[in-house]
Amino acid sequence: MCPFIEKNYEDIKRKYTLTSPQELLKEANIDLLMMPLIDNTGGFTIANNRYSTVVVNSDWDEHYLDFVILHEFSHLVLHGGSSTPYYRRIGAGRFVPKIENEANELAMKLLLDMHDPEEIKRLTKSQLIYYLGIDEDLLRYIPKFDN
């Protein structure tokens, strides 16, 4: 993990209780709006200097939305709300912009922290994909750990 992401991750851990993505948004005073979006769009963030809202696709699987919420939260923390217009499912071999990579990396680290560490340690990376309910394209964002 790069120092920029690591510093922000440590700040988040000190400031918030990492129990669920929804609770994290509540603690951070960020609104969550669930609504139907086009099929391959998971969510996006609306932010100004007074408040922020994370909008997620209510038609997507709730487990995958946990990652999307954390991805959008990561944009708020890392990039002041700047992001590509939407979080879309990423395809293998596609170019992923730097800010999307950073948001994915921080989101994955936060998502893993919201699960039982002993259970996580017992699973391979491939098993984690199913356990977390996320796409295989996100496998590259799971940090190295010892099983």
Side-chain angles (χ1 to χ4, degrees), residues 89-95 136-137 140:
R89 292 186 191 265
I90 56 176
R94 287 185 157 168
F95 171 76
E136 289 183 23
D137 293 339
R140 62 183 152 178

Side-chain angles (χ1 to χ4, degrees), residues 21 43 47 63-64 68 76-77 83 85 97 100 107 111 113 115 128 138 143 146:
H63 291 95
Y64 198 87
V68 174
L76 290 169
V77 171
S83 68
E100 294 302 311
L111 183 62
D113 278 358
H115 288 83
L128 266 175
L138 297 170
D146 297 323

Side-chain angles (χ1 to χ4, degrees), residues 9 12-13 16-21 23-24 27 70 73 109-110 113-115:
Y9 167 71
I12 292 165
K13 278 182 56 172
Y16 302 109
T17 308
L18 299 178
T19 55
S20 75
E23 287 299 315
L24 177 59
E27 282 186 58
L70 293 172
F73 172 82
K109 186 82 171 138
L110 294 170
D113 278 358
M114 292 177 182
H115 288 83

Side-chain angles (χ1 to χ4, degrees), residues 53-65:
T53 301
V54 169
V55 181
V56 296
N57 192 336
S58 59
D59 293 334
W60 277 23
D61 178 79
E62 71 179 271
H63 291 95
Y64 198 87
L65 287 180

Side-chain angles (χ1 to χ4, degrees), residues 120 122-140 142-143 145 147:
I120 296 292
R122 283 191 278 267
L123 302 172
T124 66
K125 281 189 176 186
S126 296
Q127 291 170 326
L128 266 175
I129 292 294
Y130 298 104
Y131 177 75
L132 298 173
I134 57 177
D135 283 345
E136 289 183 23
D137 293 339
L138 297 170
L139 184 68
R140 62 183 152 178
I142 296 174
F145 58 93
N147 287 48

Side-chain angles (χ1 to χ4, degrees), residues 2-21:
C2 79
F4 173 64
I5 306 270
E6 186 63 39
K7 180 197 176 306
N8 281 280
Y9 167 71
E10 292 300 330
D11 289 348
I12 292 165
K13 278 182 56 172
R14 275 191 297 279
K15 191 171 182 179
Y16 302 109
T17 308
L18 299 178
T19 55
S20 75

